[in-house]
Amino acid sequence: MFSRSQASKANNDVDISNNKMSTICENVEQNGNNNNYNVNEDDVVTSNVAPTTNRRNSRLSIRGFGSILGKKRDERKFSLYQLTNESLPRLDNYRASKRNIKRPSIGEMHGEPGREQRLPIPDPLSETGTTTGHSVKLGWIMGVMIPCLLNIWGVMLFLRLSWVIGESGILQTLAIIAISAVVCVVTTLSLSAICTNGEVKSGGVYFIISRSLGPEFGASVGVVFAFANAVAASMNTIGFCESLNDLLKQNDLKIIDNGINDIRIVGVCAILLLTFICCVGMEWETKAQNFLLATIIIAIFNFLIGAAIGPLGNEEYISKGFVGFSWDVFKENFGSDYRFSEGVQQNSFSVFAIYFPSVTGIQAGANICGDLKDPGAAIPKGTFWALLISMSSYVIFTFFAGSAAVRDASGNVADLVNGSIISSSLPCKLNNTCEFGLANSYSVMQLMSLWEPLIYAGCFAATLSTALTNLLSVPRLVQALGIDQIYPGLIFFSKPYGKHGEPYRGYVLTFIISAGFLLIGQLNVIAPLISTFYLASYALINFCTFHAAFVKPLGWRPTFKYYNLWLSLFGFLLCIVIMFLIDWMASLITLVIIFALYLVVMYRKPEANWGSTTQAQQYKATLTSVYRLQNVSDHVKNYNPQVLVLSGDPKIRPPLIDFGYLLTKQNSLMFVGNILPKSIGYKNSQKIIKEGQKYLDERKIKAFYTLIDGFNMDDGVKIMAKCTGLGKMSPNIVLIGYKNNWFNCRKEEVETYFNILYNSFSQRLGVVILRLNNGLDFSGVKLECTTPTTPMQDFQIVRTFGFNNPVSVASVTASELLHVDSNLNLASLDTPNIGIAESEPNLVDLNEFNENRNDNSNDSVNTLRSNMLTVFTRKQPKSTIDVFWLYDDGGLTMLLPHIISMRSNWKQCDLRIFALSHGKDEKAEEKSMANLLIKFRIQYSELIMLKGLSDRPKLETINKHKSLIQNFCQQATNEFSITEHELRSLEEKTWRQLRIHELIVEYSFKASLVVMSLPMPRREAISTPLYMSWLEMLTTDIKCPIVLARGNQTPVLTFYS
């Protein structure tokens, strides 16, 4: 640290005149919670003093001037931001928004060159300028408890509860309330657990289920739940209209017929008015809810006081069924008395179906969770209090109504006996024409109240408040579905308007649906349908909690602890059972609708990744399966070819990948490998892997793309073969393309190619080589699904030279190893980060090279290359697959063509089997071979035993082979050469390969595919050029694709059951 005098001497150019000597703000001002520290640049004096070390940065320079102000070192305070690049744990560092920019990346912390670009996480709309929520945030009372109470105290409280008591009796009514309460309490426990497991945004039940079980379940149930809420709004509005009709009827008033048409007219107007109130905003909604709740509470106490006081001798009230508290009435109403009502013979389940919508308000708080201050705390607390208050009120109502009113009454004072009513002796009871009483009239509550108009006001408030809550929740849910872009049809209705993001289009859609169902005009017809919808959504809420608690992902940490996974499972099963007991047909329709919506999401595959428990379950199930598979011994009957395709960039060699997928499709596992000799860094490697995997996915090829960088080809293949996969899910076959240019490329390339084959067998892997007539490189051909090219995809290759070229370097890189016609062009990337020297003279652009080559080629060659590009993906005509099963390698040479022949595009190609014989008894050997194929259950069209294999090849074949190896025989002193001794000692084997070539050309000139046994590469027994000449002679002069295959000498076929 510099002293003041040292700084002054060293920095004579600092202007301190006019008292403008700058100051250092060492106690840095903190900006919000983001750890932003602001230093006023105008106040900082920059020093010309040379730093004592090269690592001194601007922060150290700032500290150096602390002594200028005369502070002692111990007295100065520095912010953590000045001392380190580390960031402190703060909320904004974990927020899913663009504010997540302060935590340094691992590249910055690790000291990697260049500043990494942080990937921005898209903002939820609630955290950006365009919000879907409201500026008015509500607590647990105003935001949860009151909406739940208003939703539960709906149409059933004043219009249907008395009818339920009349049908089911006091005991069964209490049972219905108890069952409903159990469903609601268990669902509330599950809902509370989910809501406290992280922040809950706008979307209600859809948001909860989709973020727990995934978009498929969440979206399907969300649509059904939104539809149920819209229909529930119409149901409650119908209840309001029925009550209004009764009031008008008492005063001899009507609009049209004082019936269903009046309900339709008034109902549509009421829904339109409620929709307008919702559009105004949360402030008006809150004011309206407070007024409605106060009215309902006054009406409830009005009923309780009136029932407690009794009719006070009013014979008119008594004749209509209100007799006051009586033990006899209680006993008479204690049991059930189901009747034919509303066009249906009622029973306990039909009555339960009509009653259950009255307790479906527990989700009211979750529906507007985006408008809550703290949804995680408000939803459990407010919902439980609402349940406790509402269920208590329903129980009290049941006892009061069941103890003070009779089931049947005529309304005729003359039917009274000594001022009391005897239901069993009423004339209307005998012919079922009674118009009053619990079982016949929906207005018993008004009759029993202290002041009748207050009950009408309470009924109006209860029905309209519930309808208001339903109308408020549906557009929010539709907007959440549209924002997530799950169903395209809902995107139009999710557009936000205004500073609060009001979904006005969603309100229009909700109005249309509600008004449409309101035209039905019959409350008891709509209620059972709503019950099944609500029960289905409640069932999935319970299943969400059970699934999350059962799978137990690390992200499942709800702060609400009073839940149990088995209780949630019980709630799920209970909801399903009640659904089918209520109406099995409606339940089936509901489940079919949910399943259809589920399939739509599955088909569209939206790009939604919310960390659902289904993903966690998939991971755990896969992990468990891999563990179990690891402990299962391999069996030949369960053998599957697990292929490692050494293709390099998958876009360059599509036929090689197509052939690999032809072997593994729907049966097995495939890896696509790429090896880069240069170390390209984490970001570049991940980008290449992502683009390669995207290419495979676009072509609907189920494979895993893997990349190894920073190793030469030989070591890279060894590492990839050993490390790719997991446990038993590892490759057992290496698929590689044939190296067409082996005779005129660098010797290191050929040696590496030979080593790949040799090392694969050393690791007990099977080897398959694919050769096409004009090579495998199709980099100049544009496929329809090819993604747009980027600088990262501009691969380069090195021009190849002969073995004696003096400028050839000894080191083998991927670009040097592989010619443009080979299958392993694993050249490095054309980016500055990879470190390829721009001045190197032997680099050419691969795409440009291929374009020039294609321009110089004639039309027939282009047509042939186009045919070869799609040879393994197009339908093959009637032809044959010729299999030269020359040596017993365990059966892989026979199994691969059998797999190909079962594919739909190759079903018209019959298998022709060619085999060798020892020459002693050819007929017996042919019979033995045929018997073996029958036992293996291999379907073939023809079996041909090859003859004359020991004959001398034709002279032209021999001369062709000699010209092929001529350059390698001229340098006897070169270790990469073929000696005369080797030629003489292996002459018989060489001639056998030449004879096989002649037989293949003779028999298979019309075949669609040729599969033959691969000669074993023995490093100690044969030189690389001679072995490559064998492969060249075996695969040349054949127009169709040819496959050289060899297993690892372990059986892959068996005839045992």
Side-chain angles (χ1 to χ4, degrees):
M1 190 70 65
F2 295 107
S3 66
R4 180 174 180 178
S5 58
Q6 290 173 331
S8 301
K9 293 177 181 179
N11 190 16
N12 294 327
D13 295 332
V14 176
D15 184 10
I16 58 175
S17 61
N18 299 327
N19 295 325
K20 291 185 178 180
M21 183 174 184
S22 58
T23 59
I24 311 298
C25 297
E26 296 181 2
N27 293 323
V28 184
E29 178 185 359
Q30 183 176 353
N31 182 14
N33 294 326
N34 298 335
N35 294 336
N36 292 330
Y37 300 96
N38 301 324
V39 178
N40 191 348
E41 295 179 356
D42 295 333
D43 293 337
V44 177
V45 175
T46 58
S47 174
N48 294 327
V49 179
T52 57
T53 63
N54 292 331
R55 297 178 59 86
R56 183 176 301 278
N57 55 24
S58 60
R59 292 178 183 170
L60 294 179
S61 299
I62 293 175
R63 297 175 205 159
F65 282 97
S67 58
I68 297 178
L69 300 179
K71 283 189 177 182
K72 295 182 180 180
R73 180 170 182 173
D74 295 337
E75 296 177 355
R76 291 195 305 273
K77 296 180 181 180
F78 300 101
S79 67
L80 184 64
Y81 185 77
Q82 291 176 303
L83 299 176
T84 179
N85 283 333
E86 299 278 8
S87 63
L88 298 178
R90 292 294 184 265
L91 177 64
D92 287 334
N93 290 340
Y94 295 89
R95 195 181 294 276
S97 67
K98 293 180 181 178
R99 282 187 260 175
N100 182 18
I101 59 174
K102 292 306 172 187
R103 185 193 300 118
S105 66
I106 189 65
E108 294 171 333
M109 299 298 297
H110 194 253
E112 294 180 2
R115 182 177 178 87
E116 288 193 3
Q117 180 181 0
R118 297 175 185 152
L119 298 177
I121 302 175
D123 270 357
L125 291 182
S126 59
E127 294 187 12
T128 60
T130 306
T131 62
T132 59
H134 297 264
S135 59
V136 180
K137 295 297 182 179
L138 306 175
W140 70 273
I141 296 178
M142 299 299 299
V144 181
M145 190 184 75
I146 291 179
C148 288
L149 285 175
L150 290 174
N151 220 351
I152 294 173
W153 283 336
V155 62
M156 298 300 169
L157 179 64
F158 294 102
L159 294 181
R160 289 297 184 270
L161 183 58
S162 60
W163 176 84
V164 171
I165 298 170
E167 293 286 340
S168 299
I170 296 174
L171 179 63
Q172 292 193 22
T173 299
L174 293 176
I176 290 174
I177 296 174
I179 295 174
S180 302
V182 169
V183 172
C184 292
V185 169
V186 174
T187 305
T188 302
L189 291 173
S190 302
L191 184 66
S192 301
I194 299 175
C195 291
T196 57
N197 190 52
E199 288 190 0
V200 180
K201 301 297 182 183
S202 178
V205 173
Y206 157 71
F207 184 92
I208 293 170
I209 297 179
S210 63
R211 269 56 176 182
S212 299
L213 287 180
E216 297 85 1
F217 281 106
S220 55
V221 176
V223 170
V224 172
F225 194 76
F227 181 78
N229 277 350
V231 178
S234 63
M235 182 192 71
N236 283 279
T237 307
I238 290 174
F240 161 73
C241 296
E242 285 185 0
S243 180
L244 181 62
N245 272 356
D246 290 338
L247 182 61
L248 294 176
K249 190 175 183 180
Q250 290 180 9
N251 295 277
D252 296 329
L253 298 174
K254 65 178 181 179
I255 300 175
I256 296 179
D257 56 1
N258 203 247
I260 191 171
N261 290 323
D262 288 2
I263 291 176
R264 291 167 178 168
I265 295 173
V266 176
V268 171
C269 296
I271 288 182
L272 182 62
L273 177 62
L274 293 175
T275 304
F276 175 77
I277 294 176
C278 292
C279 292
V280 171
M282 179 59 71
E283 296 178 2
W284 283 92
E285 296 158 10
T286 304
K287 294 177 181 179
Q289 287 183 356
N290 293 337
F291 171 76
L292 294 174
L293 180 65
T295 304
I296 294 173
I297 293 175
I298 293 173
I300 290 174
F301 280 101
N302 178 57
F303 165 76
L304 296 178
I305 295 173
I309 294 176
L312 300 177
N314 190 325
E315 294 185 349
E316 182 181 357
Y317 285 177
I318 297 174
S319 65
K320 291 183 179 180
F322 179 33
V323 297
F325 286 118
S326 170
W327 177 251
D328 294 332
V329 174
F330 179 82
K331 289 191 295 183
E332 182 182 354
N333 292 337
F334 190 75
S336 62
D337 184 14
Y338 293 108
R339 308 176 182 185
F340 186 84
S341 175
E342 302 289 339
V344 178
Q345 178 58 45
Q346 301 293 338
N347 54 50
S348 57
F349 296 112
S350 63
V351 174
F352 181 88
I354 295 174
Y355 169 79
F356 186 76
S358 66
V359 295
T360 55
I362 60 174
Q363 79 289 341
N367 288 339
I368 58 172
C369 53
D371 300 318
L372 302 176
K373 294 178 182 178
D374 186 4
I379 291 176
K381 189 174 183 180
T383 306
F384 275 116
W385 274 105
L387 271 177
L388 179 62
I389 295 172
S390 59
M391 292 302 147
S392 300
S393 65
Y394 275 114
V395 171
I396 294 173
F397 268 53
T398 301
F399 279 109
F400 272 58
S403 302
V406 297
R407 278 195 173 98
D408 299 291
S410 63
N412 189 354
V413 178
D415 293 334
L416 298 180
V417 178
N418 297 324
S420 62
I421 187 171
I422 303 177
S423 299
S424 58
S425 62
L426 291 175
C428 63
K429 172 70 173 178
L430 302 177
N431 54 17
N432 295 325
T433 59
C434 295
E435 297 182 1
F436 298 94
L438 293 174
N440 304 296
S441 175
Y442 295 142
S443 58
V444 174
M445 294 292 183
Q446 291 88 328
L447 181 66
M448 299 174 65
S449 63
L450 182 64
W451 188 40
E452 186 173 342
L454 274 180
I455 294 296
Y456 282 108
C459 183
F460 295 162
T463 53
L464 294 178
S465 65
T466 306
L468 181 65
T469 305
N470 291 325
L471 291 174
L472 178 65
S473 63
V474 175
R476 302 281 187 272
L477 201 153
V478 172
Q479 188 177 50
L481 282 165
I483 290 173
D484 291 336
Q485 298 184 355
I486 304 297
Y487 297 110
L490 297 179
I491 297 177
F492 174 80
F493 298 100
S494 64
K495 182 179 179 180
Y497 289 91
K499 62 179 181 179
H500 299 320
E502 291 289 346
Y504 292 136
R505 294 179 180 179
Y507 286 119
V508 174
L509 176 65
T510 306
F511 169 77
I512 293 174
I513 296 174
S514 299
F517 276 86
L518 186 139
L519 297 179
I520 296 176
Q522 298 181 16
L523 189 148
N524 287 9
V525 175
I526 299 176
L529 180 63
I530 298 175
S531 296
T532 57
F533 284 165
Y534 278 123
L535 284 168
S537 60
Y538 288 178
L540 276 179
I541 290 175
N542 286 296
F543 184 76
C544 286
T545 303
F546 164 75
H547 193 265
F550 182 78
V551 176
K552 290 183 180 178
L554 295 179
W556 176 250
R557 299 186 300 274
T559 57
F560 183 82
K561 301 299 181 182
Y562 304 101
Y563 73 95
N564 183 271
L565 75 160
W566 303 115
L567 188 61
S568 297
L569 179 61
F570 169 75
F572 165 73
L573 297 176
L574 181 63
C575 291
I576 297 297
V577 170
I578 293 175
M579 278 178 60
F580 281 90
L581 291 177
I582 289 175
D583 189 344
W584 66 270
M585 181 62 70
S587 301
L588 282 178
I589 294 174
T590 302
L591 295 180
V592 168
I593 292 174
I594 293 175
F595 183 68
L597 294 170
Y598 175 89
L599 291 180
V600 171
V601 181
M602 286 288 293
Y603 176 77
R604 293 193 67 249
K605 295 180 180 179
E607 296 182 0
N609 184 10
W610 297 318
S612 63
T613 56
T614 54
Q615 295 174 343
Q617 185 188 30
Q618 288 175 358
Y619 172 79
K620 289 197 172 184
T622 303
L623 191 62
T624 303
S625 299
V626 172
Y627 281 142
R628 290 178 180 175
L629 189 63
Q630 185 68 18
N631 297 323
V632 176
S633 301
D634 294 331
H635 196 282
V636 62
K637 289 193 298 183
N638 296 325
Y639 174 84
N640 286 302
Q642 298 175 172
V643 181
L644 171 60
V645 184
L646 299 178
S647 67
D649 185 357
K651 294 183 288 296
I652 295 179
R653 296 168 185 84
L656 187 65
I657 297 176
D658 292 338
F659 179 73
Y661 191 52
L662 197 66
L663 302 176
T664 62
K665 184 178 181 181
Q666 298 177 350
N667 286 327
S668 187
L669 187 64
M670 186 172 84
F671 302 93
V672 178
N674 190 0
I675 301 172
L676 302 178
K678 301 289 185 179
S679 180
I680 61 175
Y682 176 80
K683 285 185 61 182
N684 291 335
S685 64
Q686 289 302 308
K687 183 175 182 180
I688 295 174
I689 291 174
K690 183 177 179 180
E691 291 175 351
Q693 191 66 52
K694 182 180 179 181
Y695 169 81
L696 296 175
D697 295 340
E698 286 176 346
R699 296 197 61 204
K700 298 182 179 180
I701 295 176
K702 293 181 175 61
F704 297 95
Y705 182 60
T706 181
L707 173 71
I708 292 180
D709 62 318
F711 292 91
N712 60 40
M713 183 60 57
D714 201 352
D715 294 336
V717 173
K718 286 182 184 178
I719 295 172
M720 184 171 288
K722 289 182 179 180
C723 301
T724 300
L726 181 65
K728 295 294 181 68
M729 309 297 292
S730 301
N732 51 29
I733 295 175
V734 173
L735 174 59
I736 187 173
Y738 181 70
K739 188 166 182 59
N740 285 14
N741 67 328
W742 66 272
F743 46 83
N744 61 4
C745 69
R746 306 167 67 90
K747 64 180 181 180
E748 290 84 358
E749 299 179 36
V750 187
E751 287 285 3
T752 302
Y753 187 84
F754 181 85
N755 290 338
I756 290 174
L757 305 181
Y758 180 83
N759 293 330
S760 298
F761 286 118
S762 298
Q763 298 181 37
R764 303 303 186 265
L765 301 175
V767 175
V768 178
I769 300 176
L770 174 64
R771 180 174 186 177
L772 300 185
N773 194 28
N774 287 317
L776 288 166
D777 194 312
F778 291 87
S779 56
V781 180
K782 298 288 186 180
L783 294 178
E784 292 182 0
C785 62
T786 302
T787 55
T789 58
T790 64
M792 297 294 296
Q793 298 172 346
D794 295 332
F795 281 80
Q796 297 177 335
I797 63 169
V798 181
R799 294 180 185 232
T800 56
F801 299 91
F803 293 129
N804 298 325
N805 194 303
V807 301
S808 300
V809 294
S811 62
V812 180
T813 63
S815 57
E816 294 170 334
L817 170 65
L818 303 170
H819 186 263
V820 69
D821 285 336
S822 74
N823 68 306
L824 282 173
N825 183 15
L826 305 177
S828 55
L829 300 178
D830 185 19
T831 62
N833 293 335
I834 303 175
I836 299 178
E838 298 179 358
S839 60
E840 194 166 348
N842 54 348
L843 295 179
V844 296
D845 185 83
L846 182 63
N847 295 327
E848 181 180 353
F849 179 84
N850 281 285
E851 290 174 1
N852 294 336
R853 181 180 63 183
N854 291 337
D855 291 341
N856 296 332
S857 59
N858 53 40
D859 294 338
S860 61
V861 174
N862 288 333
T863 302
L864 179 62
R865 285 183 58 80
S866 299
N867 291 335
M868 286 299 177
L869 178 63
T870 59
V871 64
F872 298 115
T873 57
R874 70 173 185 269
K875 190 79 172 178
Q876 295 294 322
K878 183 69 175 178
S879 184
T880 62
I881 299 176
D882 291 354
V883 183
F884 289 81
W885 194 9
L886 307 179
Y887 317 110
D888 189 358
D889 59 347
L892 184 65
T893 307
M894 189 69 250
L895 179 62
L896 297 184
H898 169 69
I899 295 174
I900 295 173
S901 66
M902 294 190 300
R903 303 305 183 191
S904 58
N905 288 341
W906 291 79
K907 278 189 174 181
Q908 297 188 33
C909 297
D910 299 326
L911 289 182
R912 290 200 307 171
I913 312 300
F914 297 86
L916 299 178
S917 64
H918 293 290
K920 297 180 180 180
D921 189 352
E922 294 181 355
K923 290 186 177 180
E925 292 186 8
E926 181 179 355
K927 185 177 180 180
S928 176
M929 185 67 182
N931 185 43
L932 179 63
L933 293 174
I934 292 174
K935 285 184 175 294
F936 283 155
R937 303 170 302 281
I938 301 294
Q939 301 293 330
Y940 64 95
S941 63
E942 189 176 2
L943 174 61
I944 300 174
M945 304 302 293
L946 297 175
K947 301 177 181 179
L949 191 65
S950 59
D951 296 345
R952 180 185 175 90
K954 297 177 182 179
L955 182 61
E956 59 182 278
T957 305
I958 296 175
N959 291 335
K960 182 176 181 180
H961 180 256
K962 285 183 179 180
S963 63
L964 187 65
I965 63 175
Q966 181 178 1
N967 293 335
F968 304 98
C969 297
Q970 294 176 356
Q971 302 172 355
T973 59
N974 194 326
E975 56 185 33
F976 189 77
S977 62
I978 305 174
T979 63
E980 289 294 334
H981 173 73
E982 183 182 14
L983 285 176
R984 287 194 300 268
S985 61
L986 297 178
E987 182 179 34
E988 183 178 349
K989 292 184 178 180
T990 301
W991 284 8
R992 184 164 68 243
Q993 308 302 329
L994 300 184
R995 278 294 296 150
I996 294 174
H997 161 71
E998 293 176 348
L999 294 173
I1000 293 175
V1001 174
E1002 177 183 353
Y1003 284 105
S1004 302
F1005 64 95
K1006 290 184 179 180
S1008 294
L1009 180 67
V1010 174
V1011 182
M1012 65 178 299
S1013 298
L1014 172 70
M1016 178 62 71
R1018 297 181 177 89
R1019 184 181 295 170
E1020 69 284 352
I1022 187 172
S1023 63
T1024 300
L1026 183 58
Y1027 180 80
M1028 294 301 298
S1029 69
W1030 288 2
L1031 299 187
E1032 181 69 25
M1033 293 303 300
L1034 287 173
T1035 57
T1036 192
D1037 298 331
I1038 302 173
K1039 295 182 179 180
C1040 68
I1042 185 167
V1043 177
L1044 299 170
R1046 192 177 191 96
N1048 59 359
Q1049 301 303 115
T1050 57
V1052 298
L1053 294 173
T1054 182
F1055 49 80
Y1056 292 107
S1057 60

